[in-house]
């Protein structure tokens, strides 16, 4: 009755326009107040700093250093909202302005030594530092990370991997210092994932000792080339190499496309790809080569070379193996994308969960306060399984980075397959997480300043660039099929890719699944092994059966796409669980280890609940599938008190989140409009 009386009085004063009430401020008593979740939530039950160290995996101090650099510079667009300072690009700027600001931020980072040693350190520690700082830049702005990622990881990586000492000496230091600005011209209008089919053609003129690179048709124009539209001075151009009428396959060449003053070079045509749904701070361009002549030395020749008189030379005689060697830089890109996708999911979850710990909706009893969003079991079910998956994938991203920076020839296949699996799985997870977080924030999730909605547009491209996710999953299954043939037809045990579990007897899953069994890491690992083993056997048998009926192997593989997708998912999720178990086993007994066990169970059981394969192929009965589902709900309620500590463990500074993660009432107040 008091609230009804107050509202009636406000309406009366408004209608009668009582001058005595015109200047009075509204009373805050009946209004919602923001209460920081730190005041109501229990203290962290585990060491948040130790958990962050596990999640980041490496270079925590360097990450914080770069966070500090960006927070303190006006170039990174600091803005005070709701009593806090946030840093984020101004997405109201035009495409041209966003591109200019991206380049200015790169120059700022260059002057402060951020890129020091990125191409010249030559150590695993140097590579880990580079990956860590790239991830921090990605938290601030995807355009910034992609812009210098193309320069260092693709252009610079191509020179490192494909070039020899003469290229390293001439180009790497100048690339690291941005004396040259590089881009990476592989994709064409007519060919993306099918790199082998690109149509750009290069021939050799032995008299001039020059290569001639040409775009023979419109579908051969280089497309989506990051940096090409405005800033790049050089590119690594991928082209078919035709020597004496024989096509030797795809090779890589250094081509200058602009002079030092930014003028486009002769016989080069460049056009803009235009406005995009995201990444408008990156100047994606299109390139045509009109019989451009380049020195013989500009062939990146670690895999193959041309003698001065035009003889083709390569130690790798098999064209398929030669082509595989040319795809090496994409592995670095996929490692990067997998890790950056998880950090984007962390941003979305940190914002959505903090908001859900302060935003209330509906009372469930008379005269009771409205309920916090995260106290609704349905809201927990929306966000907490995704939180557990993000933890699990963080540990696998770290595992991938570690084997990548310490790579040896015998690990090349493992790195290629894991980077493909994680790039696909993690980017899909990121987009699903951002969508759920956007919806969980209601209308506030639509505001660009609150980041989540905008991140969806920025990150959508990750599902298709540097390998379409669906194509990558089929490649994984194709590789597993090859491993199957070696093991079965040649009577050899499985070795590598974590497939050693195929050598022993198939695990038998219990018929009764009480909570203690469901949460057992042994049961979870066994269930994932049963699924992967069965799907690989089914996939191989279906292909072999199709071949026995006269189908070509390639057509049989394509026709078995449904099992291929199921198998690719099973492989990826088993790898993630395996890495999670290792992290948990290596942690000392205590509250942190206990929390890891909860998260691991949530990850494993959520995967089991979501994948229809467990029911489709009978790994779980309908009763056991229902038990899995109920256990996920129990885990949600158990993780709920720890939600704030778990997102705080991400280590993302407040300034890199958004207003609705904090005092969303003040951020939207009239005083904030006036200021």
């Amino acid at each position: 009755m008091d609230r009804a009386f107050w509202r009636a009085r406000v309406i009366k004063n408004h209608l009668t326009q009582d001058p005595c009430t015109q200047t009075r401020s509204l009373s805050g008593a009946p209004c919602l107040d923001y209460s920081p979740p730190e005041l109501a939530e229990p203290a962290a039950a585990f060491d948040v700093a130790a958990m962050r160290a596990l999640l980041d995996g490496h270079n925590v101090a360097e990450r914080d250093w770069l966070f500090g650099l960006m927070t303190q510079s006006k170039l990174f667009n600091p803005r005070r909202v709701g009593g806090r300072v946030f840093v984020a690009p101004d997405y109201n700027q035009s495409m041209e302005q966003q591109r200019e600001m991206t380049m200015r931020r790169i120059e700022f980072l260059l002057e402060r030594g951020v890129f020091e040693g990125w191409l010249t350190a030559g150590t695993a520690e140097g590579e880990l530092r580079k990956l860590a700082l790239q991830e921090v830049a990605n938290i601030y702005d995807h355009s910034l990370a992609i812009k210098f990622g193309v320069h260092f990881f693709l252009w610079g990586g191509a020179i490192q991997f494909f070039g020899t000492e003469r290229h390293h000496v001439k180009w790497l230091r100048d690339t690291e210092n941005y004396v040259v600005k590089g881009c990476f011209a592989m994709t064409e209008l007519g060919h993306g994932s099918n790199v082998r089919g690109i149509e750009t053609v290069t021939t050799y003129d032995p008299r001039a000792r020059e290569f001639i690179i040409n775009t023979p048709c419109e579908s051969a124009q280089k497309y989506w080339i990051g940096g090409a539209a405005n800033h790049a001075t050089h590119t690594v151009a991928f082209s078919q190499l035709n020597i004496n009428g024989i096509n030797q396959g795809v090779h890589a060449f250094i081509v200058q496309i602009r002079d030092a003053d930014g003028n486009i070079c002769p016989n080069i045509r460049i056009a803009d790809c235009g406005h995009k749904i995201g990444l408008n701070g990156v100047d994606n361009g299109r390139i045509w080569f009109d019989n451009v002549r380049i020195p013989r030395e500009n062939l990146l020749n670690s895999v193959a070379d041309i003698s001065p008189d035009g003889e083709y030379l390569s130690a790798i005689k098999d064209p398929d193996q030669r082509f595989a060697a040319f795809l090496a830089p994409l592995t670095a890109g996929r490692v990067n994308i997998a890790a950056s996708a998880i950090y984007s999911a962390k941003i979305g979850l940190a914002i959505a969960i903090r908001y859900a710990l302060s935003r209330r909706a509906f009372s469930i009893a008379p005269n009771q306060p409205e309920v916090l969003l995260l106290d609704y079991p349905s809201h927990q079910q929306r966000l907490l399984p995704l939180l557990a998956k993000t933890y699990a994938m963080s540990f696998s991203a770290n595992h991938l980075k570690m084997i990548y920076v310490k790579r040896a020839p015998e690990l090349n296949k493992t790195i290629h397959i894991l980077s493909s699996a994680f790039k696909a799985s993690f980017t899909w997870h990121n987009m699903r997480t951002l969508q759920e977080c956007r919806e969980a924030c209601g209308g506030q999730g639509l505001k660009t300043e609150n980041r989540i909605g905008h991140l969806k547009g920025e990150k959508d491209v990750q599902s298709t660039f540097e390998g379409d996710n669906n194509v990558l999953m089929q490649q994984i299954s194709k590789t597993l099929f090859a491993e199957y043939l070696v093991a079965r037809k040649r009577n050899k045990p499985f070795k590598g890719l974590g497939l050693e579990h195929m050598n022993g007897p198939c695990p038998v899953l219990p018929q009764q699944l009480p909570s203690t069994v469901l949460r057992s890491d042994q049961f979870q690992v066994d269930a994932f092994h049963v699924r992967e083993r069965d799907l690989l056997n089914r996939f191989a048998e279906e292909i072999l059966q199709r071949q026995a009926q006269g189908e070509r192997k390639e057509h049989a593989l394509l026709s078995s796409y449904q099992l291929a997708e199921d198998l690719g998912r099973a492989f990826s999720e088993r790898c993630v669980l395996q890495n999670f178990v290792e992290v948990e086993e290596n942690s000392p007994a205590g509250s942190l280890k206990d929390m890891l066990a909860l998260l691991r169970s949530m990850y494993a059981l959520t995967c089991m609940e979501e994948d229809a394969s467990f029911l489709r192929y009978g790994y779980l009965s309908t009763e056991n599938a229902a038990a899995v589902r109920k256990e996920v709900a129990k885990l949600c309620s158990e993780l709920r008190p720890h939600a704030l500590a778990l997102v705080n463990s991400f280590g993302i500074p407040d300034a890199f989140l958004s207003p609705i993660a904090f005092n969303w009432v003040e951020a939207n107040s009239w005083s904030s409009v006036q200021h």
Side-chain angles (χ1 to χ4, degrees), residues 15 184 247 284 306 349 356:
L15 293 173
F184 187 83
N247 182 14
N284 293 92
I306 298 293
L349 286 164

Side-chain angles (χ1 to χ4, degrees), residues 81-102:
V81 183
R84 290 178 177 270
V85 173
F86 297 94
V87 290
D90 182 359
Y91 295 113
N92 289 317
Q93 290 182 323
S94 68
M95 181 177 72
E96 291 74 17
Q97 289 171 321
Q98 289 185 54
R99 291 175 176 181
E100 184 58 31
M101 286 305 300
T102 299

Side-chain angles (χ1 to χ4, degrees), residues 146-215:
I146 290 297
K147 177 76 170 179
F148 66 64
V150 168
H151 177 77
F152 283 103
F153 289 89
L154 294 182
W155 154 266
I159 292 171
Q160 282 183 316
F161 286 114
F162 298 158
T164 51
E165 185 177 2
R166 73 187 188 208
H167 302 108
H168 299 163
V169 170
K170 182 174 181 179
W171 297 102
L172 290 183
R173 178 67 66 181
D174 282 352
T175 296
E176 192 171 281
N177 295 328
Y178 269 91
V179 175
V180 299
K181 301 180 182 73
C183 61
F184 187 83
M186 177 179 279
T187 298
E188 296 179 355
L189 177 62
H191 291 86
S193 295
N194 181 17
V195 177
R196 180 169 268 174
I198 62 175
E199 297 172 289
T200 302
V201 176
T202 297
T203 55
Y204 180 68
D205 179 353
R207 288 178 297 179
R209 296 187 177 181
E210 293 176 333
F211 289 105
I212 305 168
I213 184 168
N214 189 52
T215 303

Side-chain angles (χ1 to χ4, degrees), residues 95 114 278 281 314 355 500 581 617 652:
M95 181 177 72
V114 170
S314 178
Y355 185 61
E500 288 81 2
V581 169
Y617 302 114
I652 302 173

Side-chain angles (χ1 to χ4, degrees), residues 407-552:
R407 57 193 173 275
E410 62 270 18
L411 287 175
N412 283 346
K413 179 170 66 176
T414 298
I415 294 170
H416 170 65
I417 294 302
L418 284 182
S419 66
S420 297
F422 292 169
K423 186 267 183 186
S425 299
F426 296 4
T427 56
W428 274 330
H429 165 75
N430 179 43
M431 291 307 297
R432 178 188 170 193
T433 300
L434 290 174
Q435 179 64 29
E436 197 64 64
C437 290
R438 207 296 298 158
E439 293 181 27
C441 292
Q444 291 295 324
L446 293 176
K447 294 185 70 175
T448 301
E449 72 173 8
N450 289 327
R451 299 209 65 187
I452 300 173
H454 189 82
L455 278 173
K456 286 172 52 189
E458 290 284 311
K459 297 292 182 174
D460 204 349
V461 67
Q462 290 187 330
S463 300
T464 49
F465 74 177
E466 299 203 36
D468 177 276
N469 283 357
N470 289 286
V471 174
L472 292 179
M473 281 303 200
Q474 291 182 29
Q475 287 181 1
I476 293 161
S477 297
K478 186 176 179 180
T479 299
L480 297 179
F481 174 61
E483 295 293 313
Y484 176 95
L485 292 181
V486 169
R488 292 290 184 261
K489 289 194 171 183
R490 300 180 188 176
N491 198 26
K492 291 185 176 181
F494 285 89
K495 185 178 180 181
L497 300 178
L499 294 174
E500 288 81 2
H501 70 89
M502 298 281 293
N503 297 323
C506 183
V508 177
L509 301 182
Q511 293 185 348
Q512 301 296 320
L513 296 181
S515 183
T516 52
V517 172
L518 286 169
R519 299 191 186 197
S520 158
D521 58 354
Q522 187 62 58
F523 163 74
Q524 294 160 9
V525 170
D526 283 350
F528 279 45
H529 283 172
V530 166
R531 174 180 56 163
E532 185 180 24
R533 174 193 293 254
D534 181 65
L535 287 172
L536 179 51
N537 285 330
R538 287 175 184 271
F539 182 60
E541 289 166 8
E542 182 171 307
I543 292 169
L544 293 173
Q545 184 178 11
R546 289 177 180 275
Q547 286 184 274
Q549 294 170 352
E551 285 190 36
R552 294 175 61 244

